Amino acid sequence: MFTGIIQAVGTLAALTPRGGDVSLTLDAAALDLSAVQLGDSIAVNGVCLTVTARNRQQFSVDCSRETLKLTTLGQLRPGARVNLEKALTLATPLGGHLVSGHVDGLARVESREEEARATSFWLRAPDELAHYIAKKGSVTIDGVSLTVNEVEGARFRLTIIPHTLAQTIMGEYLSGTQVNLEIDVVARYLERLLQGRVTAPPSAFAGLSGSPYA
């Protein structure tokens, strides 16, 4: 799990094909890797990946074909900048919201407009994910925990303060940029719980207090 508060911006140093998938090596000099162990998780542009090698300033991760297909990581080329966050611990301040690092789909930036010192982005979500996005709710864009300001169908607006633009890759977004989108994990589980009441056989609820099937 992660918080959606980006800890550093790294750079893709190398992309190495390996048996149909790839290994990514990232320069992460601004990220404290001293306590990172092999097998630990680091979110790269919001994608939870497992550390397979590291030194003081770099770490490597493997990306399956499924990850390359469903996220923007397959579009990266050496030199590309990426958002980085280490997995949270019980001592980590939860400054954003609970983020799983499991990308639900790709959103696309439709427009960018400066509003005083802030920057407003309109993005379009995949139609099948649009109903999860609510005004004043949370979404994760390339690993960044953000509040939705406005929703119009599958379109939603984000207002980004200068600090966030400077400390993440969001300052590089232009119209047409594809980004990794993760919906709020609470919305995902709530929907499944509601579906369970409909799809599970009545025997599944036998004896549960308050169940209509008890």
Side-chain angles (χ1 to χ4, degrees), residues 25-196:
T25 299
L26 297 118
D27 285 324
L31 189 68
D32 182 8
L33 298 175
S34 59
V36 172
Q37 303 295 317
L38 300 188
D40 285 355
S41 296
I42 295 180
V44 179
N45 277 359
V47 184
C48 178
L49 298 171
T50 300
V51 176
T52 58
R54 78 158 185 88
N55 56 35
R56 287 193 303 175
Q57 295 190 339
Q58 291 185 328
F59 68 94
S60 297
V61 293
D62 288 335
C63 290
S64 67
R65 283 182 289 183
E66 181 79 359
T67 299
L68 296 174
K69 180 176 67 174
L70 297 178
T71 73
T72 61
L73 296 186
Q75 304 172 20
L76 297 180
R77 296 295 178 267
R81 301 199 324 141
V82 294
N83 293 325
L84 301 174
E85 182 190 353
K86 295 182 291 186
L88 65 83
T89 70
L90 292 178
T92 303
L94 191 59
H97 71 284
L98 287 175
V99 175
S100 69
H102 301 155
V103 171
D104 293 291
L106 299 182
R108 184 181 297 274
V109 177
E110 288 197 334
S111 65
R112 171 177 178 157
E113 183 178 350
E114 307 307 316
E115 294 184 352
R117 296 177 58 243
T119 302
S120 177
F121 292 97
W122 275 99
L123 298 93
R124 181 173 293 275
D127 289 341
E128 65 272 17
L129 297 178
H131 67 285
Y132 293 107
I133 300 173
K135 184 176 181 179
K136 300 306 178 183
S138 297
V139 293
T140 307
I141 300 295
D142 280 343
V144 185
S145 172
L146 297 166
T147 300
V148 176
N149 299 118
E150 193 172 352
V151 177
E152 292 182 356
R155 302 172 68 240
F156 61 100
R157 182 172 63 85
L158 305 171
T159 301
I160 311 301
I161 63 173
H163 176 81
T164 302
L165 286 182
Q167 299 299 316
T168 73
I169 64 170
M170 295 193 75
E172 303 172 7
Y173 290 175
L174 301 172
S175 179
T177 299
Q178 280 192 312
V179 297
N180 294 319
L181 168 65
E182 180 184 330
I183 59 172
D184 188 356
V185 67
V186 175
R188 183 189 297 124
Y189 283 117
L190 178 60
E191 179 181 59
R192 183 56 186 160
L193 285 169
L194 293 173
Q195 288 176 341

